[in-house]
Amino acid sequence: MNCEVCQLKELEVEHFEIREVLRCILHTIVFHRALGLVRPKVIDLELFDITYVQCGDGELEKKIDEKIEQFISWVEKHPNKKSQVCISFYEVKNKHPSWFTNKTERLYWEQWYINLNVSQQQKVHSGKSHPSKIVVDPGGSTVDSAENSLEERSNRRAALESSLREVLFQIIKFVNEKKDHVPPISDGVVYFPYEITIPSSSDSAFGMDMIKRMLQTGHPTMLS
Amino acid sequence: MDLHGMAPHSESGKLEQVVSQFLLKSLHIILDSRIPSLHPRDPTCDSRVRKSDKWFNLVLGDRPAALDNLNFWHRNLMDPMIIDIILVQQGTAISTSVGNLLSGSPGRTATETVIERWLVQFESPPRGIASQPSEGSAASYKKTYKKSIIFLRSLYLQTRLLPAYRIFKQLSSSSQPFNFDIIYKVSSFSEPFSRVEEEMMKEYRFVPIEALPGRLHVSVTYRPQLSEFNLQPLTTMPPKIISDYVGSPATDPLRYFPSSYKGDRAISFPSKVMHSPTSVPFQRPHSWTSGFHKPVVNHHLAGSPTVYRTSQMSYDSPSPPMERIQNHRRPLHQRAPFYDECQLSPPFSPSVSPSTPTYLRNSESPRQTRASSETAPVTIPSPISGRSSRYISPNFSDPSKLSLPPLSPRSTRLDNSSNESPSGMRLIKKPEASRADLGSAGQKVLKDNKDDSGRFSGLLSSRSSSKLSFQDDIDDCDFSCPFDVDDVDPPDSRISQNVDWKRNLESTSMGRKSQDAAVGVLVHMLRTAPPLRQDSSCYSSRSLRAEVENDGVATTASGFFMPRRTSDALEELRSYREMKDLLLSKSGTRVLTREPP
C-alpha cells in the first residue's frame, strides 16, 4: 500500500497562536479522514477570520488538545525554532507470530507534516523608547515605534491568516487528488487510527522516530 | 461500507442512486452554508440521525423540503445542477420601476448579484466509447461512494472557506436586519456571466470523482471580494426622547397614544412586493424558502413570476427580522424539462397558491394607499383613515386595517396598566374628577340622565351616535373624553356612586351596544380610579392634575385614600376582569396582531 505524504506550507506563528493554528489544521485533516458517520461541528477561530470543521468527537478533541499542549511545552523549551508536527494514519496488521515478536504492525498509509516556525515577537513597550528608534522628534519616537510594532503585528497576523487559509485549501486539494490509497471503511469506525508525533525533548530522538517510521513503511524517503 | 436504502438491485441502479443522492447532499451542504433560513438554528440539539444523514456518513440534519421535490434531477441525472447564490442588496438609486411604487419607498431598489455559482454534474462518457467491463462495476459504485464521502467532507469545508460564508454568518448570527439578503436559485440552465462579471470572479474546480461509467464534476465560480458591496446592518432609528409618555406628569391623561407593540418599528414586507409586484402568487410566510428563479439576464425581479426568498431585510424602516414569503409554482414535473428562460419552477414547494398578492399588499408600507379593502376587517370613514394613520401602530401596515377604533389599543393598554397598578381603583373614588375629563358628547347625555343606573347606558348610546365626532376628537390629537361633564354629582355622594357605578358597569358590560362607549367608560374609570393602597407618593401628581381639570373644584389628596374594605376591592377587581374579557373578545383580532413575532 502506498503511503502518501503531504508537506504543508510552513507557517510563521507566535507562541500564543500555536494552539489555534494546530487545532485548526489537525482537526481539518482528521475530519477528512473520519469516513464513518460524523456530525460535523463548525468552529470559528478566535484569532483569525477562519472557520474550520471538526468531527464532533469529544475523545478525539481531547487527544488532539493533549498533543498540542505537549508541543507547546516543547516549544517553550526550544524557542525560536522550526518544528514539525506529524499526523499519520495507519492500519493495524497482525504480524506473523515468530520467535522474536508477536506484536501487531502498523502500516502507515498517509502522513501529514505541519511545518511551524515559532517566533517570539518582542513585546511593545509603550512606556519606553527603543534606543534604535530614536528619531529627530524625541517626543513622538515612542509612539512611532509602538505604532510600527502594532502595524507589523497586524500585517503579520493578516499574512498568517492568509497562509492558514492556503494550508486548508492545500489539505482539500490533497484529499481530493489522492483517494485510492485510503483503506476501506470499517463499520462502526468513525475515523482511521492515527498518531500525532511532536518533536521530543531532543532533536535526535525526533529524527530517530522518523527513521523508524521509514523502516516500517519500507519507503526510502519520507520527506519530499 | 453501508449503502443505505439501495433498493435497486442492479449495479447501474445502485450507481444511479449514489449519484442522485450525491446531488442532493451537495445541494444540502451548499444551501446549509449560504441560506440562513435553511440552516438549522442549533444543530447540536437534534441528535437524531435521519435516513438522509446516513448517506455519505454526514449528518446534516433536516433536509429542506425543497430538496425532497427535486424530481427533475432524479429523472435525468445527466442534467447539470446549477446553484446560484444571489446577493440581494438594498439600493438607493432612484428608479421608476413598479417595485418602487409598491414598495412605498421611492428611490429604493434592490440589486441582485450572483456571488457564487456552483455546478454539479454527472458526466457520462461520449457515445461510441466502450464502457467499463461489467466485472469491475460490482465494486465501482462502492469506490464511487467512498470517494464521494471524502469529497463531500471537503465540500463541507470549502463552502465555509469561501467569502460568501462570511456574509451568511453575518445574516444568521445577528437578529438585526441588514441591508442585504441571500437567496438562491437552482436550475439546470443558467445564463452565462458577462465578460465583466467573469473578470471579477474566480473559479475552483474540484477533482472529478470517478463514477464509472461517468464522472462527477463539481466546480464553483465565486467572487473573491465582497467588500465592494456595502453590506451592513440597517441603521436603526436614532434614540428619541419621548417626553409625553403615558404617565408623564406633563401629559394630558386623556391623550391618545398610538399602540405600538414594538415601538416605532414596522413589520412590513416591502421587499417581496418590490420584486414581485403584480401577479406574484404568494402564500403566508414560512420559515424557509426555496430557490429563487428568474431569467438570469434580468437581475431585477420586477415582473418575475416567482420569487423564493428568505428576507431579513426591511427596505423601509428598521424592523425585526422579516417573516418570509414563499411563493409556489407548479412542481417542475408538470413543466417542460428544459426551460430555457430559467423559469424552472423549483420543485421545492408542494402546492401552488393561485391567490392574488393580497397578502403582499397588506404587508406593504403604511405609506401606500389601498384601493381595495378586501383584506380589511372593517372599513373606516375616509376622514379618519388618513389622519389616524399616524396614531396607528406601525404593525398595522395596511391602512385599511386602521379602521379599528382608535380607542381599542389604548383601552387595551390602559387595561393592562390597570392590571399592573391599582390606578383603576381610582375611578371609583373620584368619579367627579373623571367626569371632568369627559368630552362634550357624553356631557350632553349625562346632563339628560342624572340617574346613575342609567348613566352608562346613556353613555353607550351617545357613544354610538357620536362615533364620528369621537374619532374626530382622536384625530385632533387632543383627546378629551366625550363623556366629560362638569355638572355631575357632588363629591359627598361618592360612595353611593361607587356602588351604583359598579352595578351600572355590570349592566353595561352585558348590554353594550357600542364598543367605543365601553372603552370610553373603561378609560374614564382607569384614569380616575383611586388606588387600592393609600400611597400618596404615587398618586399625588394625578390628584393634582385632577384638581386642575376640575376647574378649581377642591379635591384634597386625602380624598383618594378613603378606607375601603377588601370585599369592595375584590368586587371591583371582578368587574374589571369582566370588562377586560369583554373587550378582549370584541377586539380579539387586534390583540393578536399586537403580539410580538
Side-chain angles (χ1 to χ4, degrees):
Chain A
M1 183 187 299
N2 293 337
C3 179
E4 298 290 344
V5 177
C6 181
Q7 288 280 352
L8 295 174
K9 182 185 168 182
E10 186 177 274
L11 299 173
E12 289 194 10
V13 297
E14 288 191 41
H15 188 273
F16 68 96
E17 293 165 337
I18 295 173
R19 194 174 281 107
E20 276 227 317
V21 166
L22 275 182
R23 260 201 208 128
C24 174
I25 297 174
L26 287 170
H27 277 288
T28 299
I29 293 169
V30 175
F31 175 68
H32 285 90
R33 292 293 176 248
L35 305 188
L37 187 68
V38 297
R39 187 186 295 272
K41 188 175 161 189
V42 177
I43 307 288
D44 296 323
L45 289 178
E46 291 175 7
L47 299 176
F48 310 101
D49 184 19
I50 290 177
T51 302
Y52 71 98
V53 186
Q54 292 183 2
C55 293
D57 187 300
E59 197 182 327
L60 172 72
E61 200 175 334
K62 192 177 161 192
K63 284 185 184 169
I64 288 178
D65 284 344
E66 280 173 8
K67 279 293 179 182
I68 292 172
E69 294 304 318
Q70 290 176 17
F71 176 74
I72 291 174
S73 305
W74 181 88
V75 166
E76 282 168 357
K77 293 173 191 168
H78 305 84
N80 293 325
K81 266 193 168 181
K82 293 192 180 186
S83 54
Q84 266 187 343
V85 175
C86 175
I87 176 166
S88 314
F89 295 95
Y90 59 88
E91 273 188 302
V92 179
K93 295 283 185 189
N94 290 324
K95 239 179 164 180
H96 291 295
S98 67
W99 284 82
F100 305 103
T101 177
N102 195 19
K103 55 183 178 180
T104 56
E105 184 187 6
R106 287 182 176 182
L107 286 180
Y108 293 90
W109 52 270
E110 192 173 83
Q111 286 173 329
W112 300 79
Y113 290 93
I114 305 167
N115 298 295
L116 298 177
N117 185 7
V118 184
S119 61
Q120 299 280 355
Q121 288 285 336
Q122 287 184 2
K123 289 183 184 175
V124 176
H125 299 286
S126 57
K128 303 176 189 174
S129 61
H130 204 280
S132 62
K133 289 191 186 274
I134 292 176
V135 293
V136 177
D137 182 8
S141 62
T142 306
V143 174
D144 287 340
S145 64
E147 282 179 358
N148 288 338
S149 299
L150 284 172
E151 194 180 337
E152 280 172 18
R153 175 164 277 186
S154 79
N155 290 340
R156 198 200 54 76
R157 177 77 59 83
L160 175 58
E161 181 176 314
S162 173
S163 298
L164 182 57
R165 206 181 286 274
E166 276 182 45
V167 165
L168 297 179
F169 278 116
Q170 196 180 352
I171 295 170
I172 290 172
K173 187 166 175 261
F174 184 86
V175 299
N176 279 293
E177 281 176 350
K178 299 179 191 293
K179 292 176 188 152
D180 293 327
H181 65 291
V182 179
I185 307 165
S186 308
D187 284 341
V189 176
V190 176
Y191 46 86
F192 293 107
Y194 69 95
E195 182 184 72
I196 299 176
T197 310
I198 59 170
S200 56
S201 52
S202 67
D203 287 342
S204 60
F206 181 70
M208 283 305 297
D209 288 339
M210 297 303 301
I211 293 170
K212 258 192 217 172
R213 199 165 297 114
M214 284 164 60
L215 291 172
Q216 281 175 351
T217 56
H219 279 257
T221 175
M222 302 306 297
L223 299 175
S224 59
Chain B
M1 192 182 315
D2 187 12
L3 298 172
H4 302 278
M6 300 285 269
H9 297 293
S10 66
E11 298 300 325
S12 62
K14 287 180 182 172
L15 180 67
E16 194 176 314
Q17 200 166 9
V18 169
V19 170
S20 72
Q21 289 295 329
F22 177 89
L23 292 169
L24 286 173
K25 201 82 171 185
S26 305
L27 180 61
H28 193 175
I29 290 171
I30 291 166
L31 295 184
D32 203 37
S33 62
R34 293 292 181 268
I35 312 299
S37 66
L38 301 179
H39 181 71
R41 289 185 182 175
D42 191 2
T44 57
C45 281
D46 190 1
S47 57
R48 294 183 295 144
V49 177
R50 298 158 189 78
K51 191 177 174 184
S52 61
D53 290 332
K54 292 180 182 175
W55 276 100
F56 310 101
N57 290 336
L58 195 61
V59 179
L60 297 177
D62 275 327
R63 256 184 198 171
L67 269 65
D68 294 332
N69 296 332
L70 219 60
N71 295 326
F72 63 104
W73 274 298
H74 287 223
R75 201 175 47 190
N76 188 357
L77 290 178
M78 301 303 174
D79 289 341
M81 181 171 73
I82 299 172
I83 308 160
D84 280 346
I85 305 297
I86 302 166
L87 176 70
V88 181
Q89 196 180 8
Q90 181 181 9
T92 53
I94 295 172
S95 169
T96 56
S97 68
V98 178
N100 286 335
L101 294 175
L102 291 177
S103 70
S105 55
R108 294 233 175 152
T109 57
T111 53
E112 298 186 350
T113 313
V114 178
I115 55 172
E116 270 184 7
R117 176 170 288 170
W118 295 83
L119 170 65
V120 186
Q121 186 172 17
F122 174 63
E123 279 183 359
S124 60
R127 288 180 188 176
I129 296 175
S131 57
Q132 192 84 0
S134 60
E135 60 256 20
S137 64
S140 65
Y141 79 86
K142 290 183 183 175
K143 275 187 188 171
T144 301
Y145 187 70
K146 185 181 93 176
K147 291 177 181 178
S148 302
I149 291 174
I150 298 171
F151 165 78
L152 288 170
R153 275 150 175 70
S154 64
L155 178 67
Y156 193 92
L157 176 65
Q158 178 89 1
T159 54
R160 281 146 180 87
L161 293 177
L162 292 175
Y165 182 70
R166 213 170 281 147
I167 61 175
F168 160 80
K169 261 201 309 186
Q170 251 183 307
L171 278 178
S172 53
S173 60
S174 175
S175 59
Q176 58 180 338
F178 286 87
N179 66 345
F180 66 94
D181 193 13
I182 303 177
I183 59 173
Y184 68 96
K185 182 188 90 163
V186 185
S187 63
S188 63
F189 171 83
S190 63
E191 187 79 14
F193 289 119
S194 64
R195 186 167 295 216
V196 173
E197 285 170 330
E198 259 186 41
E199 285 170 5
M200 289 191 288
M201 302 189 92
K202 276 188 182 176
E203 189 180 12
Y204 182 88
R205 289 179 184 239
F206 289 88
V207 175
I209 303 158
E210 273 186 13
L212 297 173
R215 292 198 301 183
L216 284 162
H217 291 268
V218 180
S219 66
V220 58
T221 308
Y222 64 98
R223 285 209 175 211
Q225 295 293 335
L226 295 177
S227 53
E228 64 201 69
F229 302 102
N230 186 20
L231 308 176
Q232 59 191 0
L234 279 174
T235 52
T236 54
M237 292 175 64
K240 187 170 80 172
I241 297 173
I242 302 171
S243 57
D244 57 349
Y245 56 88
V246 175
S248 163
T251 310
D252 181 355
L254 297 178
R255 178 185 169 179
Y256 170 72
F257 289 88
S259 65
S260 170
Y261 198 90
K262 288 201 170 190
D264 292 328
R265 299 169 79 191
I267 300 176
S268 60
F269 304 87
S271 61
K272 287 77 175 176
V273 178
M274 192 184 304
H275 297 292
S276 48
T278 53
S279 60
V280 178
F282 71 94
Q283 282 194 358
R284 64 180 181 84
H286 293 279
S287 60
W288 57 272
T289 60
S290 47
F292 160 74
H293 53 84
K294 64 170 182 66
V296 179
V297 237
N298 180 17
H299 286 296
H300 294 287
L301 297 180
S304 167
T306 55
V307 174
Y308 288 71
R309 62 178 64 236
T310 299
S311 175
Q312 290 183 346
M313 300 166 65
S314 169
Y315 285 87
D316 284 336
S317 58
S319 65
M322 313 289 279
E323 297 190 30
R324 287 108 185 175
I325 286 183
Q326 182 182 19
N327 297 315
H328 297 279
R329 295 183 68 192
R330 288 177 288 130
L332 185 65
H333 61 265
Q334 296 178 6
R335 304 169 70 89
F338 295 100
Y339 202 88
D340 289 343
E341 295 177 10
C342 291
Q343 291 187 3
L344 288 166
S345 172
F348 302 144
S349 54
S351 64
V352 174
S353 169
S355 52
T356 58
T358 309
Y359 174 81
L360 291 172
R361 283 202 211 160
N362 291 341
S363 60
E364 289 168 11
S365 165
R367 283 175 263 174
Q368 302 176 23
T369 55
R370 300 274 183 269
S372 75
S373 59
E374 64 262 24
T375 59
V378 181
T379 55
I380 57 173
S382 51
I384 306 302
S385 60
R387 297 180 65 187
S388 57
S389 61
R390 61 172 181 270
Y391 301 119
I392 303 301
S393 164
N395 292 341
F396 301 128
S397 55
D398 184 1
S400 62
K401 288 186 180 174
L402 303 181
S403 58
L404 292 169
L407 263 189
S408 300
R410 182 168 164 232
S411 62
T412 307
R413 187 177 57 253
L414 289 170
D415 183 60
N416 292 336
S417 66
S418 70
N419 290 333
E420 293 164 4
S421 73
S423 61
M425 295 300 133
R426 296 185 291 116
L427 280 172
I428 296 174
K429 289 298 169 188
K430 192 86 177 146
E432 64 277 13
S434 62
R435 282 183 219 116
D437 297 336
L438 297 179
S440 56
Q443 183 177 1
K444 176 173 64 177
V445 175
L446 285 172
K447 274 182 185 170
D448 296 336
N449 187 358
K450 292 211 170 180
D451 182 4
D452 289 341
S453 62
R455 176 184 305 160
F456 290 98
S457 56
L459 285 173
L460 284 170
S461 59
S462 71
R463 182 66 184 151
S464 56
S465 61
S466 64
K467 185 175 181 178
L468 275 175
S469 61
F470 178 72
Q471 288 175 336
D472 286 336
D473 290 337
I474 298 294
D475 294 336
D476 291 337
C477 197
D478 185 16
F479 169 63
S480 58
C481 179
F483 311 109
D484 241 336
V485 289
D486 293 327
D487 53 347
V488 292
D489 297 340
D492 48 354
S493 62
R494 201 179 304 136
I495 297 173
S496 61
Q497 284 169 2
N498 292 340
V499 176
D500 290 336
W501 175 84
K502 273 185 275 180
R503 205 183 315 127
N504 291 332
L505 183 60
E506 288 170 1
S507 64
T508 302
S509 65
M510 299 304 293
R512 182 186 302 275
K513 290 186 181 178
S514 167
Q515 186 184 4
D516 296 334
V519 168
V521 165
L522 180 62
V523 165
H524 171 67
M525 286 188 325
L526 292 174
R527 288 198 177 279
T528 57
L532 278 173
R533 293 184 196 174
Q534 299 184 5
D535 187 355
S536 59
S537 63
C538 275
Y539 303 104
S540 57
S541 61
R542 289 242 178 190
S543 64
L544 286 172
R545 191 167 58 242
E547 286 172 19
V548 172
E549 290 164 352
N550 285 338
D551 296 327
V553 174
T555 307
T556 59
S558 61
F560 285 98
F561 308 110
M562 289 177 58
R564 302 182 67 232
R565 291 173 295 178
T566 308
S567 59
D568 292 339
L570 285 173
E571 201 167 333
E572 281 179 18
L573 179 65
R574 214 175 295 120
S575 63
Y576 286 138
R577 278 205 189 125
E578 284 173 18
M579 279 174 29
K580 178 190 158 189
D581 292 338
L582 186 67
L583 285 171
L584 284 174
S585 64
K586 290 230 181 231
S587 62
T589 306
R590 192 179 311 156
V591 171
L592 283 175
T593 58
R594 288 184 64 206
E595 287 178 357

